[in-house]
Amino acid sequence: MAGDMSTFLVSEAQLILDEARRQKSEKIKTLGSPIQLSGKALAIQVHESYVWIAENTAVVRKLDLESGKTVQLYKGHTGPVTTLAFTDTNPGSGDGKILITGSWDRTIRLWNTDTRELISTTKDAHGDFIKSLFVLSSHNLLISSGSDKIVRFWDLSTLQRKEPLRSVGSISSHTRPVESLYASTCFDTSAVLYTADTMGIIKFWFLTKDGGSSPTWRGTLREELIHHRTRINEMLYGSDHLWTASADGTVQVLNRASPEKSPPPIEHPAPVRSILPLALTELGEPYLLTGAGDMMRVYDVSTADEPELIREMDAHWHDITAIRLWKRVTAGSDGMSRIEPWIVSTSLDGTIRKWRLSELLSLPPIPKEPVISAPAPPPSSQKSGFKMTDDEERELAELMDSD
């Protein structure tokens, strides 16, 4: 009887939530010139005038941001595509024409973006859902992480052979799914790596390449950072600062050179899924954009210890999953090309939205709505096999939500 009552209460809460979202979707239906997707974007990257979208519908979509039309579609995965990355056709060419995708189907796939040809499929790349991909092009190295709590290294130097990727090492130190990765090159045979899991733990590694006829990569743990209470959704690094967004409702900026000078956390009323520190982009501006719940916020972080919230707006009617910079190129009446910074956001509401950065920084705030939070799902009835975490249960419910 208690179980039936729990189901009833969750269902009632869900009905209220659905109605609130329906009303909000109507109210903001034209904001950001929305482009409606057939699925929900779980990850995006913006290149030139296109946005590349990893969808819960098991496809990757290349979409023209100007026309809103799909120009390429990549099919082959059998589960939601959660992450994507790019590498070069030939090592060192810098063309970035090879698309790499990871999915809940546990495979890593490589695609030629000129021909849309599937180059290779690496089956069972992880023991469970693939969560993140990161490419170190200078080392021909792909790093992947998954719900199996493992970080794996893959050799990209032989991708033209059209064979499954060769594993060149792994790290099995985390006790929870590894959600986020960030790496950078040190020398020809070394790199540094940050790995972050759903418990909020970040591990800092020094990677070294062992020589021989079949080189491998080995990670040495240098430091463990515990400054979040739970899942880390996004992690970026630049100018000796590590930026993290967490489900604990905070954005933290850790000064790696002088940890004692790290500013206090930036508090949000909902889990933070995405961040865009403009200081880490070509713009180099002291502004931070965050996506928490269905709200986008803009902070002036020129004074790190006292970040100022300068704009808070209803950007979507469901959780924002990514915020990216778009350098929009337009032709003026004089025939000259002009570059203007725009922001691209996406959400579990199934839309891509576009915002002129200058307006986000200068216009009066749009009247805001209360943040909509989804109720926790009932306990999983799964009897055997891999047991999803609470975060993944909620994630699955959101992905399969037909709203």
Side-chain angles (χ1 to χ4, degrees):
M1 185 67 179
D4 292 343
M5 180 58 69
S6 173
T7 301
F8 172 76
L9 292 174
V10 170
S11 298
E12 184 179 32
Q14 187 65 50
L15 289 173
I16 295 171
L17 176 61
D18 290 346
E19 176 58 21
R21 284 177 172 159
R22 186 195 66 77
Q23 293 181 15
K24 186 168 185 178
S25 68
E26 182 64 24
K27 183 174 181 178
I28 67 168
K29 63 182 179 182
T30 61
L31 290 184
S33 303
I35 301 170
Q36 187 65 51
L37 304 174
S38 58
K40 299 177 182 181
L42 306 184
I44 64 172
Q45 286 200 28
V46 176
H47 291 177
E48 299 178 340
S49 61
Y50 302 101
V51 57
W52 294 79
I53 307 164
E55 289 189 10
N56 70 318
T57 56
V59 305
V60 174
R61 186 181 307 274
K62 180 184 180 183
L63 186 144
D64 188 321
L65 283 167
E66 298 288 358
S67 68
K69 294 182 179 179
T70 297
V71 295
Q72 288 183 347
L73 200 62
Y74 295 81
K75 299 180 179 180
H77 284 291
T78 58
V81 184
T82 51
T83 181
L84 52 84
F86 290 87
T87 192
D88 300 334
T89 306
N90 296 301
S93 66
D95 60 17
K97 290 186 176 181
I98 302 299
L99 168 66
I100 309 174
T101 57
S103 166
W104 281 25
D105 66 11
R106 304 185 299 179
T107 69
I108 295 175
R109 295 175 185 253
L110 275 64
W111 317 77
N112 184 315
T113 59
D114 281 336
T115 64
R116 287 185 293 171
E117 173 194 11
L118 175 63
I119 297 173
S120 69
T121 299
T122 304
K123 297 182 178 179
D124 296 321
H126 281 266
D128 217 291
F129 311 145
I130 294 174
K131 290 285 192 176
S132 186
L133 298 172
F134 196 98
V135 173
L136 281 177
S137 296
S138 58
H139 288 331
N140 294 316
L141 182 67
L142 171 67
I143 306 171
S144 64
S145 67
S147 289
D148 59 1
K149 312 167 191 174
I150 297 175
V151 176
R152 296 190 183 278
F153 307 129
W154 308 93
D155 180 17
L156 291 175
S157 65
T158 60
L159 62 86
Q160 293 298 337
R161 295 179 185 174
K162 300 184 178 181
E163 300 173 348
L165 297 176
R166 183 175 71 90
S167 175
V168 289
S170 65
I171 294 172
S172 304
S173 175
H174 284 274
T175 60
R176 293 293 186 274
V178 182
E179 192 74 23
S180 302
L181 302 169
Y182 187 87
S184 62
T185 299
C186 292
F187 302 103
D188 290 345
T189 59
S190 63
V192 294
L193 170 67
Y194 290 91
T195 60
D197 65 27
T198 58
M199 282 289 286
I201 295 174
I202 300 172
K203 300 195 177 192
F204 175 59
W205 306 85
F206 185 72
L207 306 182
T208 52
K209 184 179 181 180
D210 296 330
S213 56
S214 297
T216 58
W217 284 84
R218 177 169 49 86
T220 301
L221 182 62
R222 288 293 179 85
E223 191 176 1
E224 189 170 286
L225 309 172
I226 307 176
H227 58 289
H228 282 291
R229 298 189 305 275
T230 187
R231 167 177 167 161
I232 294 171
N233 291 312
E234 189 158 28
M235 179 168 56
L236 302 169
Y237 184 87
S239 302
D240 289 330
H241 287 76
L242 183 68
W243 300 71
T244 51
S246 172
D248 65 12
T250 69
V251 173
Q252 301 216 33
V253 187
L254 184 62
N255 187 324
R256 297 292 287 141
S258 303
E260 70 281 359
K261 295 182 180 179
S262 297
I266 302 174
E267 302 283 348
H268 291 67
V272 186
R273 282 188 178 236
S274 185
I275 52 174
L276 177 60
L278 294 182
L280 300 188
T281 71
E282 295 177 22
L283 301 180
E285 298 287 348
Y287 297 102
L288 169 68
L289 286 81
T290 67
D294 49 20
M295 306 291 292
M296 186 187 297
R297 293 173 174 82
V298 184
Y299 294 86
D300 181 337
V301 291
S302 54
T303 304
D305 288 337
E306 298 180 1
E308 179 186 0
L309 177 62
I310 61 175
R311 186 165 174 79
E312 188 175 36
M313 59 180 286
D314 291 311
H316 292 268
W317 55 262
H318 207 317
D319 291 355
I320 296 170
T321 54
I323 303 172
R324 299 291 182 263
L325 177 66
W326 172 29
K327 293 176 290 184
R328 187 183 186 191
V329 180
T330 56
S333 57
D334 57 1
M336 300 293 289
S337 295
R338 291 175 172 79
I339 300 176
E340 183 181 21
W342 282 61
I343 299 300
V344 175
S345 63
T346 192
S347 159
L348 293 178
D349 66 10
T351 65
I352 297 286
R353 302 193 187 221
K354 303 167 287 183
W355 318 89
R356 181 179 274 112
L357 179 59
S358 60
E359 294 179 357
L360 292 180
L361 298 179
S362 62
L363 288 182
I366 298 171
K368 61 185 180 181
E369 298 284 339
V371 174
I372 299 174
S373 298
S380 172
S381 60
Q382 199 167 331
K383 299 296 185 181
S384 60
F386 175 76
K387 180 175 175 56
M388 291 188 289
T389 65
D390 290 342
D391 280 341
E392 288 168 343
E393 290 278 8
R394 284 191 288 272
E395 185 177 354
L396 181 59
E398 290 167 347
L399 298 185
M400 300 310 166
D401 185 356
S402 59
D403 288 344

